[in-house]
Amino acid sequence: MTQSATEPTQPDQPQRGASPGARSQQNDMSAREPILATSGVSKTFPGVKALQRVDFRLFPGEVHTLMGQNGAGKSTLINVLTGVLAPDAGTIRLGGEVVAFASPQEAEAAGVRTLYQEVNLCPNLSVAENIFAGRQPRRFGAIDWPDIKRRAQEALARLDVSLDVTRSLDAYPIAVQQMVAIARALSVDARVLILDEPTSSLDDSEVAQLFKILRHLKRSGIAILFVTHFIEQTYAISDRITVMRNGEREGEYLARDLSADQLVAKMVGHERMSARLREAAHEEQAADDLQEVAHDHPEEATATQPFIELRGVGRRGTLQPVDLEVHAGQILGLAGLLGSGRTETARLLFGADRADSGTILVEGRPVRLRTPHDAVRHGIGYCAEDRKKEGIVAELSIRENIMLALQARRGWWRKISRQRARELADMWIERLGIKASDAEQPIALLSGGNQQKALLARWLATDPKLLILDEPTRGIDVAAKFDIMDRLLALCANGLSILFISSEISEVLRVSHRVAVLRDRRKIAEVAGKASNEDNIYRLIAGSGE
Ligand SMILES: Nc1ncnc2c1ncn2[C@@H]1O[C@H](COP(=O)(O)OP(=O)(O)OP(=O)(O)O)[C@@H](O)[C@H]1O
Ligand SMILES: [Mg+2]
């Protein structure tokens, strides 16, 4: 049952098995007018009905979260609201007036500030310029640099971030870049603030800081539209939740009236709600309250051969020499805060950076990994954290993107036939549930989460022996996430080794056979079995553990 035809000013019809929530929603709504609303908004792309007669409303002083699986239409709705896309049908109202923004700049001028899903900052400009690009404070007609610098520092200080704002943005890791984008979105007065997956690469403390600010903004009457795939975050911050499914609005709920498993069931459709997923939803929501989690993480490391061994491998200024082994058929998790050396370790393993000390052994034999090409030849794949910079090639098709690593490994002179490429791409699109109308479409047209899946498909298609996954589930919806992790575990049972990096400790624990903990660019511990519980790992990360 969908409710997309309901008028935005009317309360929702009670859901199947009407909950007491229907009444409290009604009370809650009659009081105020929405600041931003759509009625009957539709948007069709070739082969995809991205939005179908969507009614949506956002009230002042609330945090309203859009939830839905990858490709459900969340970003498209935001793009329509903010003038990036023109809807095919329907109307948008801001403060009761019908509006049709021709560009995001027009929306901004009307007080609608947006942080888009794919952070579009300028990597080669300074942090300060990025925060104020296009609206630099001027004095006597000239750009006032000292003022920009001071104000950029202030904007970041509100997020508890202090960095050199004169350095270029690409000098910083992706999570910091995301904080800069958030600082930019927060740096002017707005009536409406829209954040499309702002937390996908932030760690817990950064998320907490952002939420503190959002609560503050909310109290001052700003309306906040938020998109996330983290259920725990949804419940931590939301007053209201709109669920999108296949381009339709499934329903609108008060967060307190909707349990996590009801929410997931509405996202995926009741008929697809497996016991496993229900369990997962509970686990996500409960993550905060649990003291000691009895994870059903994989069996403790048994005596298998290491596929790869690092002995004293390091790089001056980047990573202190570490010893590390990834065993055949196992997952080694890397836990640590941002900047602890996780990505640096991955880059050394992949030959993206060269080690200046130590030895690397693959299947017992010393090897040189001077370039990614060397690594690929040894059966190593690296799914990088920044899908835009090191990942997808926007102009190429989904098929070409998936085939890229395999083709590179075979050598470009041994071209994979078109027929074979199509078969392989189709197989991975199907296996990972990539929502695409056609494998020949440019990959840029996929939703964020589906691009991420295509990146994973690229490396799985090479049939690697070791796969390095740096934040592989960034932006992937809950249902798909559990599906993908199960699939990876099954591949491990067939001999694949994985180095798994994620800022979500619970996720690292769920899949890893062993977990190496990093702090301040060095490995400080390795835990397995009973010792790998969240509490213990947090203690180690904080420096108070064993
Ligand atoms: N410019 C475009 N051209 C063609 N198809 C598009 C375009 N933009 C989006 N789509 C398609 O519209 C659908 C909805 O995409 P959208 O980006 O809104 O999803 P989403 O809910 O934000 O997903 P995610 O959680 O993965 O970010 C997808 O099938 C996507 O491939
Ligand atoms: Mg999106």
Side-chain angles (χ1 to χ4, degrees):
M1 180 175 78
T2 67
Q3 300 169 3
S4 49
T6 342
E7 280 299 307
T9 45
Q10 306 253 309
D12 279 5
Q13 300 301 309
Q15 291 295 302
R16 223 186 299 186
S19 71
R23 173 184 290 275
S24 52
Q25 276 180 24
Q26 215 160 344
N27 294 341
D28 173 79
M29 278 164 206
S30 43
R32 292 166 301 162
E33 283 298 309
I35 173 80
L36 189 61
T38 69
S39 101
V41 159
S42 297
K43 181 77 195 174
T44 301
F45 298 113
V48 194
K49 287 183 179 165
L51 295 176
Q52 301 186 59
R53 298 179 308 280
V54 172
D55 296 333
F56 170 77
R57 50 212 198 130
L58 177 67
F59 291 91
E62 74 170 1
V63 175
H64 189 147
T65 302
L66 270 185
M67 297 285 294
Q69 289 187 274
N70 297 130
K74 304 177 297 294
S75 297
T76 305
L77 180 60
I78 289 171
N79 287 336
V80 163
L81 283 171
T82 61
V84 175
L85 293 170
D88 302 336
T91 51
I92 301 165
R93 283 192 170 79
L94 179 68
E97 306 272 308
V98 173
V99 289
F101 300 125
S103 69
Q105 289 73 24
E106 270 188 40
E108 274 189 17
V112 179
R113 296 283 320 169
T114 309
L115 174 69
Y116 294 96
Q117 181 170 14
E118 299 299 331
V119 174
N120 35 18
L121 298 175
C122 307
N124 42 9
L125 292 185
S126 70
V127 169
E129 286 168 302
N130 269 293
I131 294 178
F132 288 103
R135 49 195 164 82
Q136 289 95 341
R138 282 169 190 271
R139 247 174 85 189
F140 312 119
I143 291 179
D144 185 351
W145 286 112
D147 189 43
I148 290 187
K149 195 175 148 190
R150 187 180 51 75
R151 287 175 43 177
Q153 273 158 348
E154 278 170 15
L156 286 165
R158 291 171 68 195
L159 291 163
D160 258 1
V161 178
S162 86
L163 17 122
D164 180 353
V165 297
T166 60
R167 281 182 75 190
S168 80
L169 186 69
D170 58 5
Y172 293 103
I174 183 132
V176 174
Q177 297 188 19
Q178 209 161 14
M179 291 303 260
V180 171
I182 293 167
R184 177 178 162 83
L186 296 176
S187 66
V188 285
D189 292 336
R191 289 202 278 173
V192 174
L193 181 63
I194 301 178
L195 303 158
D196 194 352
E197 297 193 38
T199 58
S200 57
S201 43
L202 303 185
D203 67 29
D204 291 351
S205 65
E206 292 165 323
V207 172
Q209 190 58 27
L210 173 66
F211 282 8
K212 212 169 94 190
I213 291 168
L214 293 186
R215 289 192 188 100
H216 174 78
L217 292 172
K218 183 177 118 166
R219 278 194 296 276
S220 69
I222 292 177
I224 298 166
L225 173 55
F226 182 59
V227 180
T228 186
H229 287 295
F230 298 107
I231 296 203
E232 196 191 326
Q233 291 181 8
T234 301
Y235 283 99
I237 193 80
S238 316
D239 301 295
R240 198 184 298 272
I241 299 172
T242 285
V243 178
M244 301 280 301
R245 192 164 84 221
N246 292 329
E248 297 185 18
R249 186 192 70 161
E250 192 280 338
E252 185 206 81
Y253 311 89
L254 291 180
R256 61 168 181 267
D257 293 337
L258 189 68
S259 71
D261 53 348
Q262 282 173 324
L263 167 62
V264 175
K266 289 176 193 309
M267 282 166 59
V268 302
H270 291 266
E271 56 288 358
R272 290 188 49 213
M273 185 70 178
S274 62
R276 171 93 174 90
L277 199 52
R278 186 166 297 126
E279 192 185 303
H282 276 301
E283 212 177 291
E284 294 264 328
Q285 189 180 19
D288 255 359
D289 325 324
L290 292 180
Q291 283 304 311
E292 188 110 335
V293 194
H295 285 285
D296 57 342
H297 53 72
E299 286 304 298
E300 197 166 334
T302 42
T304 56
Q305 282 300 314
F307 169 74
I308 194 163
E309 281 171 80
L310 307 193
R311 294 199 192 136
V313 171
R315 180 179 155 92
R316 226 162 296 127
T318 307
L319 189 71
Q320 301 277 341
V322 296
D323 292 339
L324 209 65
E325 292 175 0
V326 191
H327 287 254
Q330 293 201 345
I331 302 186
L332 175 69
L334 282 190
L337 298 178
L338 184 76
S340 60
R342 297 175 315 197
T343 296
E344 290 78 359
T345 307
R347 290 178 60 86
L348 286 182
L349 265 175
F350 192 59
D353 291 329
R354 262 189 228 180
D356 55 19
S357 69
T359 325
I360 299 181
L361 303 153
V362 168
E363 293 176 321
R365 277 187 294 276
V367 295
R368 287 204 167 153
L369 303 178
R370 291 162 168 273
T371 62
H373 193 74
D374 290 343
V376 169
R377 273 193 301 117
H378 283 104
I380 302 173
Y382 178 26
C383 200
E385 119 186 89
D386 186 347
R387 66 169 167 257
K388 226 172 165 195
K389 202 164 109 208
E390 300 176 58
I392 63 153
V393 184
E395 310 76 55
L396 296 184
S397 69
I398 302 164
R399 173 180 53 79
E400 287 165 315
N401 267 281
I402 293 178
M403 299 313 296
L404 216 52
L406 182 60
Q407 184 65 70
R409 179 154 123 194
R410 281 169 58 110
W412 293 99
W413 57 93
R414 286 175 57 211
K415 199 87 184 124
I416 299 165
S417 78
R418 218 185 146 74
Q419 167 79 14
R420 179 82 192 116
R422 254 221 98 121
E423 280 167 17
L424 269 171
D426 284 347
M427 182 185 88
W428 284 108
I429 288 173
E430 146 104 45
R431 278 199 186 170
L432 296 185
I434 297 173
K435 192 167 182 268
S437 54
D438 183 356
E440 302 304 322
Q441 274 188 321
I443 197 164
L445 304 185
L446 290 186
S447 77
N450 282 302
Q451 291 182 13
Q452 187 70 20
K453 290 188 205 170
L455 206 52
L456 198 56
R458 171 191 297 173
W459 289 106
L460 289 172
T462 64
D463 196 12
K465 291 183 178 150
L466 169 69
L467 192 54
I468 304 168
L469 299 173
D470 199 349
E471 302 284 357
T473 57
R474 193 177 160 213
I476 289 183
D477 70 62
V478 259
K481 192 155 105 179
F482 282 87
D483 204 40
I484 287 174
M485 294 321 304
D486 286 349
R487 216 170 276 282
L488 291 176
L489 283 169
L491 289 170
C492 284
N494 287 324
L496 173 71
S497 311
I498 294 180
L499 182 73
F500 186 87
I501 305 175
S502 167
S503 2
E504 284 176 84
I505 307 277
S506 56
E507 193 180 35
V508 175
L509 280 173
R510 202 179 296 133
V511 300
S512 305
H513 297 83
R514 293 176 301 130
V515 178
V517 183
L518 301 176
R519 186 174 72 225
D520 297 334
R521 299 171 186 279
R522 73 178 77 212
K523 177 175 148 186
I524 50 162
E526 191 166 308
V527 293
K530 287 216 170 57
S532 49
N533 62 60
E534 263 177 84
D535 274 357
N536 194 15
I537 288 182
Y538 277 117
R539 265 198 300 275
L540 287 165
I541 288 175
S544 54
E546 62 218 50

